[in-house]
Amino acid sequence: MKYRTLGRSGLKISVITMGTFTFGGRGDFGRTASQDVTDARRLVDSCIDHGVNLFDTANMYSTGLSEEILGEVLEGRYDDILVTSKARMPIGDGPNDEGVSRWHLIRECERSLKRLRTDRIDIYYMHEWDGLTPVEEKMEALDTLIQHGKIRYAGCSNYSAWHVMKSLAAAPRHSSRFVTQQIHYTIEARDAEYELLPLSVDQGLGVLVWSPLAAGLLSGKHRRGRQTPEGSRQAEGWNEPPIRDMERLWSIVDVLVEIAEAHQVEAAQIALAWLLTRPAVASLVVGGRTVDQFERNFRAVDVVLSEDELKRLNDVSRLPLVYPYWHQHNFARPRFSPADQALHADYPDRHYGGEDPLV
């Protein structure tokens, strides 16, 4: 296993994080898997044996059951293990059962601590934006949790760039500032490169990536013109993340498969290896149903992609330069910062005019 520093913090995390989205299988989560304590213990033990030191969950995964299972499995082992959780999503029918109000965050953090059987959460994510709660109230609540030792770091997930910046500006002190954001980002879904990755470089946020294989669509098991594999999330009716251009997806998968064959791995490992070359990316949150799935994906850590392979992957997946980025690419390149380059470095150094298909 390899480890990276999380943003501007001093925290070292494994480049593969174990996701526990599949623990419990309560409600709609049963479409992904339904792992009990015995299953979870086997998977967690394997991940720890391979050097994984970060485990990701949320209060709304199977309405708390994921946290309960993870807590039972990790109890007594937290000295060397890091755990994340999240709050914001609806977890009941009450008027205060969602959001990031001070009332909700402190209550949910205390509930998560009990389910996880620990006295602290290492990274506590705001799971989604809440436009009704003042950002000052949210950030001051997180500061309270940090000062009381209930959480060690704060982060956000599924925010837009202006949401992140507004939150960073409202942090009452440096210690309560977000150190990370957890986002959806894959070689097929590169939207985060417009603003979220440049922001992360500029503000020193370490990026964790959720669903880095697009719910299995980038694993190589799904191919153009073939029937959806039995037992997959798609076969069970799971439709997140959305794919807006299926032909583009299959073209990307074709290249992933070709490069994987050259490295004697699977398309999934190439998709993960590509993500680990991207700016600000610290760790990939990977889930799985079997020990074998995790062990295969751990191989991505040692895959080294050549410049030619990276070019092929970027060429088949690159998104259009939307405004104002095409204009900046034309006129501002001599004064780009490293944060600007997080987007622009993958685009040819040429002028983008109206006839260009990338505009």
Side-chain angles (χ1 to χ4, degrees):
M1 185 54 61
K2 296 178 181 177
Y3 302 87
R4 294 181 178 179
T5 303
L6 184 63
R8 290 180 187 161
S9 77
L11 189 68
K12 292 282 189 177
I13 64 173
S14 50
V15 296
I16 300 294
T17 294
M18 181 180 179
T20 64
F21 189 82
T22 55
F23 288 6
R26 183 181 287 166
D28 286 342
F29 291 90
R31 295 183 182 181
T32 60
S34 183
Q35 293 159 340
D36 59 16
V37 173
T38 300
D39 297 328
R41 191 179 302 279
R42 182 166 53 251
L43 297 174
V44 168
D45 288 350
S46 176
C47 285
I48 292 175
D49 288 344
H50 283 85
V52 172
N53 74 343
L54 183 57
F55 293 81
D56 181 79
T57 187
N59 68 337
M60 58 90 68
Y61 293 168
S62 291
T63 55
L65 187 54
S66 172
E67 287 182 324
E68 290 180 21
I69 293 172
L70 183 62
E72 183 170 346
V73 172
L74 288 180
E75 187 175 22
R77 294 195 280 182
Y78 279 112
D79 285 349
D80 299 311
I81 295 297
L82 306 171
V83 66
T84 85
S85 193
K86 312 177 189 74
R88 153 64 176 92
M89 300 298 197
I91 42 77
D93 297 325
N96 290 305
D97 282 341
E98 67 173 315
V100 295
S101 68
R102 181 180 184 84
W103 190 93
H104 183 80
L105 288 183
I106 292 176
R107 184 191 72 171
E108 287 307 304
C109 180
E110 291 173 346
R111 287 179 170 180
S112 290
L113 289 170
K114 290 178 181 178
R115 288 191 289 260
L116 288 165
R117 305 187 188 190
T118 182
D119 60 358
R120 50 85 183 141
I121 294 169
D122 296 290
I123 304 171
Y124 199 43
Y125 285 102
M126 303 298 91
H127 205 166
E128 177 60 90
W129 174 249
D130 174 6
L132 297 182
T133 301
V135 290
E136 294 81 6
E137 178 178 346
K138 171 186 66 180
M139 300 308 292
E140 287 170 3
L142 291 172
D143 184 64
T144 296
L145 292 171
I146 289 172
Q147 297 307 311
H148 289 182
K150 294 183 178 181
I151 68 173
R152 290 181 173 165
Y153 298 94
C156 60
S157 184
N158 306 308
Y159 277 32
S160 67
W162 74 268
H163 294 154
V164 179
M165 288 302 298
K166 189 171 183 178
S167 300
L168 293 175
R173 66 188 89 204
H174 180 78
S175 62
S176 59
R177 196 174 183 270
F178 291 156
V179 300
T180 176
Q181 58 173 329
Q182 189 174 138
I183 64 174
H184 179 58
Y185 178 39
T186 73
I187 193 170
E188 190 281 328
R190 298 181 64 174
D191 313 67
E193 293 176 2
Y194 289 132
E195 294 200 345
L196 293 178
L197 257 62
L199 179 152
S200 295
V201 172
D202 185 69
Q203 295 297 311
L205 302 180
V207 170
L208 273 77
V209 176
W210 63 261
S211 197
L213 296 177
L217 290 173
L218 298 174
S219 66
K221 296 177 182 178
H222 300 263
R223 300 296 300 275
R224 180 189 283 107
R226 296 184 187 176
Q227 190 171 1
T228 301
E230 188 174 338
S232 67
R233 291 189 187 185
Q234 285 68 34
E236 296 297 324
W238 194 265
N239 60 0
E240 187 184 79
I243 304 296
R244 298 181 177 86
D245 186 340
M246 294 302 297
E247 183 58 32
R248 176 174 173 271
L249 168 68
W250 300 135
S251 296
I252 292 170
V253 171
D254 288 344
V255 176
L256 288 172
V257 170
E258 290 173 11
I259 294 175
E261 289 174 351
H263 285 264
Q264 296 184 321
V265 295
E266 298 170 333
Q269 286 87 69
I270 300 302
L272 296 176
W274 178 86
L275 279 171
L276 289 173
T277 71
R278 307 307 296 165
V281 171
S283 187
L284 312 179
V285 183
V286 175
R289 302 187 184 195
T290 67
V291 168
D292 181 61
Q293 285 179 328
F294 278 102
E295 290 181 340
R296 292 203 306 269
N297 285 332
F298 291 147
R299 297 179 66 187
V301 176
D302 297 317
V303 171
V304 178
L305 297 170
S306 69
E307 289 298 319
D308 179 67
E309 289 168 338
L310 287 171
K311 183 178 184 303
R312 289 179 63 196
L313 291 166
N314 288 327
D315 286 349
V316 75
S317 62
R318 188 184 293 114
L319 293 177
L321 272 180
V322 298
Y323 179 81
Y325 303 113
W326 60 261
H327 200 278
Q328 293 172 2
H329 196 84
N330 289 343
F331 300 105
R333 268 181 290 161
R335 298 184 68 87
F336 276 167
S337 71
D340 295 308
Q341 293 291 1
L343 168 64
H344 291 273
D346 285 341
Y347 290 82
D349 287 337
R350 56 190 172 87
H351 189 88
Y352 285 95
E355 75 286 350
D356 195 299
L358 288 177
V359 172

